[in-house]
Amino acid sequence: MVLNGLERFASLSEEERQHLQAAFATRTVPARTSLVSEGDISGTLYLLADGWAFRHQTARNGSRQIVGLALPGDFCNLDVLAFGRIDYGVRMLTAGTLLTIERDKALALGLCYPAIAAMFAQTAFVENAILSRWALCLGRMSAQERLAHLLCEIATRRGDGNGQRQARIDLPLTQEQLADVLGLTPVHVNRVLQQLRGAGLIAMRGRVMEIFDYPGLRSIAGFDPAYLHRESAAAHAIAA
Amino acid sequence: MVLNGLERFASLSEEERQHLQAAFATRTVPARTSLVSEGDISGTLYLLADGWAFRHQTARNGSRQIVGLALPGDFCNLDVLAFGRIDYGVRMLTAGTLLTIERDKALALGLCYPAIAAMFAQTAFVENAILSRWALCLGRMSAQERLAHLLCEIATRRGDGNGQRQARIDLPLTQEQLADVLGLTPVHVNRVLQQLRGAGLIAMRGRVMEIFDYPGLRSIAGFDPAYLHRESAAAHAIAA
DNA sequence: CGTTAAGTTGAAGGCGCTCAACCGACGTGG
DNA sequence: CCACGTCGGTTGAGCGCCTTCAACTTAACG
């Protein structure tokens, strides 16, 4: 069963997981597929079984801001549960497989199984905490700090680099997309990446990022993984 | 009953509202009261019956970012429902009265009355949408656009300036606090305020802000109130 | 081998920051 | 009643981080 591998669902009982699993349809999509456009009316919730996606909004002048990254196991557009109209677009970064479920079905499951509703809510709160931290980064941190912070966040969310000094993570983001996350220009992202590379903290070969000095990155970013609230999920996973 | 005035609770039945109301304790606090500090362990949820508050986080260098504004009727620290540890601080902007409820009691009410749980979730999703928009502002908009956008958001959330051209709103934020919302310095906020004043869009007399040209403000900011998702609450309010 | 997307580099400029001084309102205490 | 301290707001000068624009290189892929 697909959901068994994902720690997000570790708090559910076997029965709940099976009911949820049964409600999903599977869909395979190529990279760059647009799942939802800004302002769309949509009733379908997407769960990433595999691959990466991002949420984005565009400003009046046409520039784009990425307001959320969805990694394997994450929901792409959770607030479709609350709103019919979605005010961000969702697009695949990589090819991947999606589990899709209709809003009404998901809400019905939430009513039948409070643990499922609680899982949705918990997920929403974590997304909230991440956005909150992104606001701090965008508002009050330098380009170097922001980039280092993002790399730390991704490494932690992937489960890599928890304790060890080095890590190698697949980072399917172009420098332009990194720029859209960080509120910078692609040119400047390039320069800051070179700073970090020159300092011996990281290396990049294509879409693979190697972290040589994770404590150093954390120190630059002032990164504290507490805001990701992974301990609760981890605790559930251990208990299961 | 206090909750009757607040449109956030318009979707609840009379019975649900009474149960919820009965679970709250009231507390009056002076301005600048710190309700929660960054990283605190807390089990108390605060609902603003009157007054303004803000959520804030601090970067390594000591600078502060405000990551949420709570207006009358808003929850101050909703994610206490999900996490024991809160990664932002909450502080009163003005004197006010709080309705407080223990986390366990609120969760229990959510289990008994699905509409209450849904109200919590809906509120979380709206906060999410607001934060998402703030990320867009912080990452991709100029100082003038950000300030105009914030003023529009506040006017809309207060219920003022929906259709009319002019509005007078109580704005209990110092320029330093505006700067902490917008990711700017107080000095620059001052200058941008003067630009807007010079353009005949607004005026400020102490803590009262007068909007002369709301369409003009909206146009500068590229403000579209859809992301605040007030129509659903309004629909509920009308139905009640 | 040609085409396109992504990455790299340089030069110049601007938006917002920093630092510093000053003003005005307000409350407090002598 | 006035002196004084404090907080918030205002103004000016200079600087720096990041942007803009443009050209070029490299990689990927048919």
Side-chain angles (χ1 to χ4, degrees):
Chain A
M1 175 187 300
V2 180
L3 298 189
N4 275 337
L6 305 177
E7 61 185 64
R8 183 175 312 288
F9 305 97
S11 63
L12 303 183
S13 73
E14 189 57 34
E15 180 199 355
E16 289 155 346
R17 231 173 306 166
Q18 280 178 8
H19 275 279
L20 193 56
Q21 170 84 34
F24 280 114
T26 303
R27 182 178 153 201
T28 304
V29 292
R32 296 174 207 203
T33 307
S34 170
L35 303 179
V36 191
S37 295
E38 234 169 318
D40 267 9
I41 310 290
S42 166
T44 307
L45 175 62
Y46 297 99
L47 170 62
L48 267 179
D50 192 53
W52 290 40
F54 64 91
R55 292 185 281 277
H56 59 98
Q57 292 183 316
T58 58
R60 167 68 101 330
N61 57 24
S63 64
R64 184 177 67 172
Q65 175 70 38
I66 292 180
V67 295
L69 284 179
L71 276 49
D74 290 337
F75 290 100
C76 294
N77 57 340
L78 195 60
D79 50 9
V80 83
L81 293 179
F83 313 126
R85 185 179 178 282
I86 304 213
D87 35 45
Y88 48 76
V90 181
R91 184 176 288 266
M92 295 297 295
L93 275 167
T94 68
T97 69
L98 293 164
L99 301 179
T100 71
I101 184 173
E102 291 312 300
R103 168 196 185 166
D104 297 338
K105 216 185 279 184
L107 290 176
L109 277 170
L111 277 181
C112 282
Y113 302 97
I116 291 182
M119 178 273 295
F120 284 137
Q122 176 88 10
T123 304
F125 283 121
V126 171
E127 281 185 13
N128 224 307
I130 292 175
L131 263 175
S132 189
R133 180 56 53 108
W134 283 21
L136 175 63
C137 291
L138 289 169
R140 291 302 187 201
M141 285 166 61
S142 72
Q144 199 180 52
E145 291 168 322
R146 276 184 249 177
L147 177 53
H149 196 281
L150 179 64
L151 296 178
C152 289
E153 178 183 311
I154 290 175
T156 304
R157 285 173 65 183
R158 297 262 20 194
D160 303 323
N162 277 332
Q164 59 270 39
R165 181 174 186 79
Q166 310 207 355
R168 174 174 298 139
I169 59 182
D170 191 62
L171 190 74
L173 287 158
T174 67
Q175 292 181 4
E176 183 175 7
Q177 288 156 347
L178 282 172
D180 285 340
V181 174
L182 300 171
L184 300 169
T185 56
V187 174
H188 200 61
V189 166
N190 182 296
R191 291 182 168 129
V192 177
L193 274 173
Q194 289 179 49
Q195 287 175 25
L196 295 182
R197 243 178 8 186
L201 296 167
I202 63 170
M204 300 193 60
R205 275 193 314 279
R207 52 170 23 230
V208 175
M209 148 137 321
E210 195 145 1
I211 298 181
F212 292 135
D213 183 2
Y214 185 58
L217 261 194
R218 282 185 42 174
S219 162
I220 286 183
F223 179 78
D224 175 0
Y227 74 96
L228 291 170
H229 296 281
R230 292 180 62 82
E231 69 297 333
S232 53
H236 283 307
I238 291 169
Chain B
M1 177 186 300
V2 180
L3 299 189
N4 275 338
L6 305 177
E7 62 185 62
R8 183 175 312 288
F9 305 98
S11 63
L12 303 183
S13 73
E14 189 59 32
E15 181 200 355
E16 289 157 345
R17 231 174 305 166
Q18 281 179 6
H19 275 278
L20 193 56
Q21 170 85 33
F24 280 114
T26 304
R27 182 176 154 200
T28 304
V29 292
R32 295 174 209 206
T33 308
S34 170
L35 301 179
V36 191
S37 295
E38 233 169 318
D40 267 10
I41 310 291
S42 166
T44 308
L45 175 62
Y46 296 100
L47 171 62
L48 267 179
D50 193 52
W52 291 39
F54 63 92
R55 293 184 279 278
H56 59 97
Q57 292 183 315
T58 58
R60 165 68 99 331
N61 58 22
S63 65
R64 186 177 66 173
Q65 175 70 36
I66 291 180
V67 295
L69 283 179
L71 275 49
D74 290 337
F75 290 98
C76 296
N77 56 339
L78 195 61
D79 51 7
V80 82
L81 293 179
F83 313 127
R85 185 178 177 283
I86 305 211
D87 37 43
Y88 48 78
V90 181
R91 184 177 289 266
M92 294 297 295
L93 274 168
T94 68
T97 69
L98 294 164
L99 301 179
T100 71
I101 184 173
E102 292 310 302
R103 166 194 187 169
D104 297 338
K105 217 185 280 183
L107 290 175
L109 276 171
L111 277 181
C112 283
Y113 302 97
I116 292 183
M119 179 274 295
F120 283 138
Q122 176 89 8
T123 305
F125 283 120
V126 172
E127 283 186 12
N128 226 309
I130 293 176
L131 262 176
S132 191
R133 181 55 54 108
W134 283 22
L136 175 63
C137 292
L138 289 168
R140 292 301 187 202
M141 285 165 61
S142 72
Q144 199 179 53
E145 291 168 322
R146 276 184 249 179
L147 178 54
H149 196 280
L150 180 64
L151 296 178
C152 289
E153 177 182 313
I154 290 175
T156 304
R157 285 172 64 181
R158 297 263 17 197
D160 302 322
N162 277 333
Q164 59 271 38
R165 181 175 186 78
Q166 309 206 355
R168 174 174 295 137
I169 60 181
D170 191 61
L171 190 74
L173 289 158
T174 66
Q175 293 182 2
E176 183 176 7
Q177 288 155 348
L178 283 172
D180 286 339
V181 173
L182 301 171
L184 301 169
T185 56
V187 174
H188 200 61
V189 166
N190 182 296
R191 292 182 167 128
V192 177
L193 274 172
Q194 288 178 51
Q195 288 175 24
L196 296 183
R197 241 175 13 184
L201 296 168
I202 61 168
M204 301 193 60
R205 273 193 316 280
R207 51 166 27 226
V208 176
M209 148 138 321
E210 196 145 2
I211 298 181
F212 292 135
D213 183 2
Y214 186 58
L217 261 193
R218 281 185 42 174
S219 162
I220 285 183
F223 179 78
D224 174 0
Y227 74 96
L228 291 170
H229 295 282
R230 293 179 63 80
E231 70 298 334
S232 53
H236 283 308
I238 291 169

